[in-house]
Amino acid sequence: MEYKGSSAYEEEDFFKNYMKRRTRPESPNNSIEKPILLELMGNVKGKKILDLGCGDAEIGVELLREGAGAYIGLEGSENMMHVAVGNLKGTAGQILHASMEEWQPLAEEYDLVLSRFALHYLEDLGSIFTKVHDSLIPGGRFVFSVQHPVLTSSSKSAEGSGRRTDWIVDDYFNQGERSEPWIGKKVIKYHRTVEEYFTLLLEAGFMIEDLREGTPKAENFSTREEYERRIRIPLVLMFACRKHG
């Protein structure tokens, strides 16, 4: 069976295993993607923030602590939604239970929209970018991460077990659906080139301010071995964009 979007998180074993992996200190989410995300977002004081595919919403707790005016997490998985609600308990943060495809934003509602490792699960990304653009105030910003296209191009490397010694890049310019083995399940992702992400953002009306490929920094790893393993290939692609003011 193949799982689309957030549906895999409704499988209890998958969900438990995912949460164990996600909370590892050496998780690429924590050691590579998060430091860059915080840098690209900059000062969040007083800002109304929407998090698309918010997962456990831990980032929301941190952003509210840093002075964000409001945090709204959009999450399609019921299991993940309950974790997010629990994490935000005692804060002003809110969770909306809906998929990104179902989401219908109000115009010019948010100062900042973010998304972490969620957009590569969407078949029609252009329409989501347009909705994000419409939901932002003039001058508002959109910061997001996706799995790097070097990884989404081919699932051949993911089919092995244990730590990989090399990676296969194949069918790079053949964009579209990929079925990838992940934590004992088959999950559907959508491969796009860097050029395609860039083009879709321009077509939605965004100015692109920054692009990152998740260059690891040694100080974010507990061992030299793990750092050297992570500098071999890019794991993440990140954009910082702005709506014309």
Side-chain angles (χ1 to χ4, degrees):
M1 183 176 178
E2 295 178 332
Y3 294 88
K4 284 194 170 188
S6 60
S7 62
Y9 298 123
E10 308 311 336
E11 292 283 334
E12 292 299 330
D13 288 344
F14 179 93
F15 182 68
K16 289 175 183 176
N17 288 330
Y18 169 82
M19 293 303 292
K20 286 178 185 177
R21 288 166 61 109
R22 174 65 182 84
T23 54
R24 288 178 300 140
E26 296 280 289
S27 162
N29 301 62
N30 297 322
S31 59
I32 297 175
E33 185 257 6
K34 185 179 177 183
I36 301 172
L37 181 85
L38 295 175
E39 178 190 345
L40 292 177
M41 285 193 296
N43 187 356
V44 299
K45 194 170 180 63
K47 292 182 178 177
K48 186 175 184 180
I49 300 172
L50 174 70
D51 185 356
L52 295 175
C54 69
D56 62 12
E58 281 284 2
I59 190 72
V61 177
E62 188 168 335
L63 294 174
L64 289 166
R65 195 182 302 128
E66 292 297 317
Y71 172 86
I72 299 93
L74 184 79
E75 178 53 52
S77 161
E78 188 169 354
N79 277 341
M80 198 66 83
M81 175 197 69
H82 290 310
V83 175
V85 168
N87 286 336
L88 289 170
K89 190 174 182 180
T91 77
Q94 303 173 44
I95 296 296
L96 302 177
H97 181 36
S99 69
M100 284 183 265
E101 294 90 343
E102 296 167 333
W103 170 56
Q104 294 299 326
L106 297 175
E108 301 185 2
E109 187 174 8
Y110 301 105
D111 301 292
L112 172 67
V113 175
L114 68 99
S115 183
R116 306 178 68 191
F117 289 120
L119 298 174
H120 51 255
Y121 294 105
L122 302 178
E123 183 174 8
D124 182 8
L125 187 56
S127 66
I128 302 300
F129 282 172
T130 297
K131 289 199 288 186
V132 172
H133 188 271
D134 291 344
S135 76
L136 285 166
I137 65 167
R141 301 181 69 244
F142 178 32
V143 177
F144 70 89
S145 64
V146 290
Q147 194 172 11
H148 198 284
V150 162
L151 296 182
T152 59
S153 67
S154 172
S155 64
K156 292 174 186 175
S157 294
E159 290 167 1
S161 59
R163 290 199 168 189
R164 293 184 283 277
T165 57
D166 54 20
W167 286 261
I168 297 169
V169 179
D170 197 8
D171 289 329
Y172 185 81
F173 292 103
N174 180 21
Q175 301 185 94
E177 184 177 309
R178 301 290 195 272
S179 178
E180 180 179 313
W182 189 35
I183 318 181
K185 305 291 182 184
K186 287 276 191 176
V187 178
I188 297 297
K189 298 179 180 179
Y190 292 89
H191 168 65
R192 295 175 176 89
T193 63
V194 176
E195 181 179 332
E196 178 68 2
Y197 282 110
F198 190 91
T199 299
L200 289 173
L201 287 165
L202 293 181
E203 288 176 349
F206 283 106
M207 296 182 290
I208 298 171
E209 297 183 319
D210 208 339
L211 181 154
R212 304 288 183 91
E213 292 184 286
T215 305
K217 293 185 177 180
E219 60 264 29
N220 293 328
F221 296 88
S222 60
T223 66
R224 183 74 187 180
E225 178 189 14
E226 183 66 10
Y227 167 66
E228 290 179 352
R229 187 168 82 94
R230 292 304 188 187
I231 61 174
R232 297 185 62 196
I233 62 164
L235 301 182
V236 56
L237 177 65
M238 306 181 72
F239 284 90
C241 315
R242 187 179 297 275
K243 181 175 179 175
H244 289 270

